[in-house]
């Protein structure tokens, strides 16, 4: 498996070599038409698309680069997404070294972290063209209007870079940006996100912001990763890529951006410069209503010659963001196990749109253990926004929804095993009475004991090994065509 690619163009070449990309030469409209084409291709598991002739722009548009498990694995250079998690786990589980061998081994791991830190370089292709002042013109980019109810085009795959005004720590997040005019957009920093916190921490209410568009897929993914605020997304990108992200100084603001970006927008966001953003056809499958958000005023656009503009469409699941979310689910399992080691595995069903449902399997050891895990999930990073948590025993495959449903139906006394709690919810969830706050549902579908108020728990039905072996051995004699049994 090839190592992760170093920029968007190398990634496009890899996709093409692997038969994972189709070029579309005919003219297409970024106003709704690309969405309809892409949605059909995504929902049928089809290829990435490079639209070479987008109406009104000379820039090609890449979409559906993340739309399947195979492409997501190609992006990370792994066979399975769990392999990414295993690499991360080997660093997270670093114990204090005991013998000499352990010492050397852990030094190697420490070195791999040190080598992951972003690195400053003096020049970058992202600044081959520099446009400032009146030359700044978002109209030149093929920004898509995604759904009929969207009032304007939205930049949907940006890496938005800020610094914490107090600590100086860099943050990178993926937040949609609604176009307002040639030189401004909204900045959709939801209340639980780090970008919003950086703005609120600013003493004078204004912060510089840089937006990198068109990155290698691992760095782009890292912008969407729900990392704790003090952990740099670009360090994690460097670790996952196996080489540091190279940064150049911006032209008009004091921030650094990935040197290999296709397009960079530089500017600032102020607390008092706000307006009504949205509605937007969102990953919840519904339009999120118009709401007040700050505006991003652009002081410079820099880009590569012939810059390629990447985009993504979210909507009724499954959409292209499914595999970005699945990558996060897999990659974060070791980190979750660091705080809640009894968790064996977990699954965020795509139909649950990230925050609506978590299925967790646990190694249960004491009365109330499943409930302890529910409350732990409701206290972990952005998983704290989860609306429902289903807990099953370790033998249950959390990715097999039929099996999970069977255990929920069979093992639950609703009066005893259902927890109704309340807490923070996703700002975009339309169902709670209040925005971003409301009810939570926990379902304990584990086997219960008398200490939890249950009667004696029955054994599940299982054939004896002896008879299973006998039937295996004799299967041919029965003359029944063999399916995968
Ligand atoms: C395609 C896509 C679009 C997203 N749009 C937004 C958005 O508009 N606003 C937002 O707050 N989060 C959005 N997110 C989620 C954030 O990127 C994610 O929560 C990330 O962890 C934010 O970074 P932060 O924790 O450093 O703030 C989006 C994620 C994806 C994959
Ligand atoms: Mn962050």
């Amino acid at each position: 498996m090839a190592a992760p690619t170093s920029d968007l163009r190398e990634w496009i070449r890899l996709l093409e070599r692997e038969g994972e990309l189709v070029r579309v030469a005919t003219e297409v409209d970024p106003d709704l038409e690309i969405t309809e084409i892409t949605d059909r291709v995504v929902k049928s598991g089809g290829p990435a698309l490079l639209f070479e002739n987008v109406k009104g722009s000379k820039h090609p548009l890449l979409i559906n680069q993340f739309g399947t498990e195979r492409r997501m694995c190609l992006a990370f250079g792994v066979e399975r997404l769990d392999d990414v998690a295993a690499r991360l786990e080997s660093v997270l589980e670093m114990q204090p070294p005991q013998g000499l061998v352990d010492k050397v081994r852990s030094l190697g791991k420490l070195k791999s972290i040190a080598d992951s830190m972003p690195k400053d370089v003096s020049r970058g292709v992202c600044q081959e063209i520099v446009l400032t002042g009146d030359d700044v013109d978002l109209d030149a980019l093929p920004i898509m209007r995604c759904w009929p109810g969207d009032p304007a085009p939205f930049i949907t795959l940006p890496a938005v870079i800020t610094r914490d005004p107090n600590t100086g720590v860099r943050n990178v997040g993926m937040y949609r940006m609604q176009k307002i005019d040639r030189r401004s957009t909204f900045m959709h920093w939801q209340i639980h996100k780090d970008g919003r916190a950086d703005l609120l921490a600013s003493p004078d209410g204004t912060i510089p912001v840089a937006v990198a568009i068109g990155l290698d897929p691992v760095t782009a993914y890292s912008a969407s990763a729900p990392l704790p605020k003090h952990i740099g997304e670009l360090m994690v990108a460097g670790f996952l890529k196996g080489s540091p992200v190279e940064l150049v100084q911006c032209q008009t603001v004091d921030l650094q951006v990935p040197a290999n970006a296709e397009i960079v927008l530089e500017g600032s966001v102020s607390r008092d410069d706000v307006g009504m953003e949205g509605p937007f056809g969102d990953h919840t499958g519904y339009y999120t209503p118009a709401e007040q958000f700050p505006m991003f005023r652009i002081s410079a656009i820099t880009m590569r010659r012939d810059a390629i503009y990447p985009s993504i469409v979210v909507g009724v699941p499954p959409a292209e963001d499914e595999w970005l979310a699945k990558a996060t689910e897999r990659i974060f399992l070791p980190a979750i196990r660091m705080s809640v080691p009894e968790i064996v595995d977990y699954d965020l069903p795509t139909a649950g749109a990230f925050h609506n449902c978590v299925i967790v399997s646990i190694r249960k050891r004491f009365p109330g253990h499943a409930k302890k895990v529910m409350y732990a999930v409701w206290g972990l990073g952005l998983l704290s926004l989860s609306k429902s948590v289903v807990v099953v025993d370790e033998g249950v495959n959390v990715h097999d929804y039929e099996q999970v449903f069977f255990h929920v139906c069979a093992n639950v006394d609703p009066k005893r095993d259902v927890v109704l709690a309340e807490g923070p919810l996703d700002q975009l969830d339309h169902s709670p009475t209040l925005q971003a706050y409301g009810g939570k549902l926990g379902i304990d579908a584990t086997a219960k004991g008398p200490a939890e108020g249950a009667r004696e728990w029955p054994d599940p039905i299982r054939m004896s090994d002896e008879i299973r072996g006998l039937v295996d051995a004799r299967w041919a004699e029965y003359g029944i065509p063999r399916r995968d049994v």
Side-chain angles (χ1 to χ4, degrees):
M1 184 60 72
T5 48
S6 66
D7 68 8
L8 188 73
R9 295 182 190 202
E10 199 194 323
W11 170 231
I12 288 173
R13 284 195 293 275
L14 174 66
L15 289 174
E16 213 155 18
R17 274 203 308 279
E18 293 287 331
E20 289 282 350
L21 181 130
V22 168
R23 288 173 186 266
V24 179
T26 192
E27 189 185 79
V28 292
D29 199 330
D31 192 77
L32 306 182
E33 187 184 5
I34 293 182
T35 299
E36 179 59 20
I37 300 167
T38 306
D39 200 43
R40 292 185 193 190
V41 172
V42 169
K43 287 189 166 53
S44 61
L49 303 171
L50 187 65
F51 291 103
E52 296 176 319
N53 188 358
V54 184
K55 191 173 165 189
S57 175
K58 64 181 175 47
H59 299 281
L61 181 148
L62 174 71
I63 199 160
N64 200 20
Q65 59 176 308
F66 298 115
T68 62
E69 182 171 18
R70 174 156 198 269
R71 284 202 290 285
M72 210 66 210
C73 288
L74 279 173
F76 284 101
V78 293
E79 298 289 339
R80 299 157 51 246
L81 289 172
D82 282 317
D83 298 345
V84 186
R87 277 195 59 215
L88 209 57
E89 188 160 31
S90 74
V91 175
L92 287 174
E93 298 238 310
M94 221 160 48
Q95 303 291 331
Q98 279 150 19
L100 193 62
V101 175
D102 282 356
K103 222 177 242 168
V104 173
R105 202 175 288 143
S106 64
L107 279 178
K109 286 176 184 170
L110 279 177
K111 185 172 176 308
S112 78
I113 296 179
D115 290 346
S116 306
M117 300 310 279
K119 186 171 105 187
D120 291 335
V121 295
S122 57
R123 295 165 64 85
V125 285
C126 68
Q127 296 177 344
E128 283 176 345
I129 295 170
V130 177
L131 302 167
T132 57
D134 228 24
D135 291 335
V136 170
D137 185 6
L138 289 178
D139 290 344
L141 300 179
I143 307 175
M144 293 170 59
R145 192 166 74 97
C146 297
W147 297 105
D150 296 0
F154 284 79
I155 298 172
T156 50
L157 207 60
V160 177
I161 300 168
T162 52
R163 272 189 190 284
D164 184 317
N166 295 320
T167 63
V169 171
R170 181 186 294 112
N171 191 68
V172 188
M174 188 172 284
Y175 322 98
R176 72 177 188 233
M177 295 160 59
Q178 179 184 332
K179 186 175 155 199
I180 298 170
D181 56 36
R182 292 172 64 222
R183 297 174 55 181
S184 27
T185 73
F186 283 105
M187 188 55 77
H188 193 256
W189 281 328
Q190 293 163 215
I191 56 172
H192 305 108
K193 307 303 171 74
D194 296 343
R196 161 80 67 117
D198 287 349
L199 176 63
L200 295 183
S202 160
D204 66 355
T206 299
I207 53 169
V209 176
V211 178
I213 301 169
L215 300 167
D216 65 87
V218 173
T219 308
Y221 159 77
S222 74
S224 78
L227 293 163
K229 190 164 192 309
H230 62 282
I231 296 188
E233 283 83 2
L234 295 184
M235 185 270 285
V236 171
F239 177 79
L240 295 175
K241 286 202 307 174
S243 63
V245 177
E246 296 190 341
L247 298 174
V248 279
Q249 181 66 28
C250 285
Q251 298 283 320
T252 59
V253 293
D254 186 16
L255 288 170
Q256 296 77 40
V257 284
N260 66 10
E262 294 287 322
I263 301 165
V264 174
L265 313 178
E266 304 177 5
S268 61
V269 173
S270 300
R271 278 208 294 271
D272 304 329
D273 186 18
V274 296
M276 292 302 278
E277 194 260 11
F280 178 67
D282 223 318
H283 70 88
T284 56
Y286 288 85
Y287 286 101
T288 51
E291 198 182 343
Q292 191 169 287
F293 277 93
M295 302 185 195
F296 172 51
R297 304 295 184 182
I298 303 172
S299 52
I301 297 186
T302 76
M303 57 176 104
R304 291 183 77 150
R305 270 188 279 281
D306 312 317
I308 300 168
Y309 173 87
S311 183
I312 186 170
V313 174
V314 299
V316 179
E320 183 185 340
D321 57 340
E322 168 177 23
W323 287 103
L324 285 170
K326 282 286 157 195
T328 290
E329 177 201 290
R330 291 297 90 200
I331 291 170
F332 278 74
L333 178 58
I336 290 169
R337 280 213 204 103
M338 290 288 286
S339 350
V340 195
E342 60 269 50
I343 289 183
V344 174
D345 201 355
Y346 79 130
D347 186 281
L348 305 172
T350 298
F354 298 76
H355 293 305
N356 292 341
C357 182
V358 186
I359 303 163
V360 198
S361 59
I362 64 165
R363 211 164 282 126
K364 184 171 173 176
R365 284 193 295 113
F366 48 77
H369 203 158
K371 288 176 180 157
K372 179 235 183 210
V373 170
M374 288 170 201
Y375 292 118
V377 168
W378 286 328
L380 277 177
L382 286 184
L383 270 183
S384 63
L385 304 181
S386 302
K387 190 153 62 176
S388 60
V389 180
V390 178
V391 186
V392 292
D393 285 310
E394 59 183 311
V396 179
N397 177 1
V398 291
H399 310 295
D400 180 341
Y401 303 147
E402 189 76 22
Q403 226 186 88
V404 172
F405 194 54
F406 164 70
H407 285 87
V408 169
C409 293
N411 283 356
V412 172
D413 172 344
K415 203 142 187 194
R416 185 192 58 207
D417 303 328
V418 169
V419 173
L420 281 178
E422 54 195 84
L425 293 171
D426 182 14
Q427 185 174 358
L428 304 181
D429 185 343
H430 55 270
S431 65
T433 310
L434 300 174
Q435 188 181 22
Y437 175 77
K440 289 173 179 284
L441 172 69
I443 299 178
D444 175 359
T446 61
K448 260 78 50 175
E452 293 173 311
R455 289 173 292 143
E456 195 179 332
W457 208 257
D459 288 330
I461 300 169
R462 193 178 174 281
M463 184 46 70
S464 67
D465 287 343
E466 186 194 345
I467 295 297
R468 288 177 62 83
L470 174 115
V471 169
D472 280 344
R474 294 196 59 198
W475 192 265
E477 286 177 49
Y478 306 140
I480 306 171
R482 192 181 178 99
R483 293 175 41 220
D484 278 332
V485 284

